[in-house]
Amino acid sequence: MIDPWTRTLRALAYGVAWILLLAGATLSGLWAQPSSTQQPPSAPPAQTPAQTGPSTPPGQPPSTAPGQPAQQPSTPPAQQPSTPPGQPPIQPPAPPPAPSITPPSPFVPQPGTPPPTLPPQKVAEVVIRGNDKIPVDQILAVVSTMVADPLNEEKLRNDVQSILNLGVFQDAVVRLENVPDGVRVVFVVVENPVVDKIEVKGNTVVATDDILKALSVQTGAVLNTVTMRNGVRAVEKLYQDKG
């Protein structure tokens, strides 16, 4: 028979064995799981080509390795002027066109060459227009331009002045018209008004009839300014004679 002490010792041994087994199982589970606080090792940062080379102090050109070409500093591209949004871009001004050289025209006289002269045109006809009271023969009597004569500008100016000197026209001009035989010379005249009545006022020393006779101005005829000026001088002389 087993005594009570032996039985107690065996029970204690079995209990200690179970405790050791449980403790070993717990420790093995703890060692198998990774720690939650441990961070994975970080990979070293990748180095760029600029970092791999030797460092260059500011203000000095970059050094090159032996056997390699020297690096030229990069030049930034030219910046275009910015334009506000919504507006067309500013175009650079176009270069001025090159001056074109035109050959001289054969119809334009060159410097130092006298201009070509054309033969004078002939007068084919002389015409008076605008007259009503004054007859054509009276006007043509003072005109020097004749048919078949060469056209002369100075002579035409003198003819216009001669027509005005008649005293019965307010104005006179000359016009030229081309005709198959040459040039038609046209004198356009404007007659003075017709005298309707003559009145003399303020005379006390000289009679009215004597004044009208000295004036020599006729009623019902075209006013002649030359005759009227001469008549005024005659009246002045009449008064001078009377004192």
Side-chain angles (χ1 to χ4, degrees), residues 94-195:
S100 59
I101 301 176
T102 306
S105 174
F107 301 101
V108 178
Q110 299 301 318
T113 303
T117 57
L118 298 177
Q121 294 178 315
K122 291 186 177 181
V123 178
E125 187 179 2
V126 179
V127 180
I128 305 298
R129 294 176 184 171
N131 59 312
D132 184 22
K133 303 293 184 180
I134 306 301
V136 176
D137 296 340
Q138 183 179 350
I139 302 172
L140 291 178
V142 298
V143 173
S144 62
T145 301
M146 301 295 177
V147 177
D149 289 346
L151 191 64
N152 190 304
E153 183 178 355
E154 184 178 358
K155 185 182 290 187
L156 292 176
R157 287 198 296 266
N158 294 334
D159 290 341
V160 171
Q161 188 61 42
S162 298
I163 293 174
L164 292 175
N165 291 340
L166 290 174
V168 290
F169 299 107
Q170 298 179 12
D171 194 9
V173 294
V174 63
R175 295 177 182 175
L176 302 180
E177 299 176 357
N178 293 326
V179 293
D181 297 336
V183 178
R184 178 188 294 124
V185 178
V186 180
F187 294 99
V188 182
V189 297
V190 179
E191 293 180 348
N192 288 332
V194 176
V195 179

Side-chain angles (χ1 to χ4, degrees), residues 186-210:
V186 180
F187 294 99
V188 182
V189 297
V190 179
E191 293 180 348
N192 288 332
V194 176
V195 179
D196 184 32
K197 183 180 180 182
I198 300 175
E199 293 184 359
V200 178
K201 296 181 180 180
N203 56 317
T204 56
V205 177
V206 181
T208 301
D209 294 339
D210 295 338

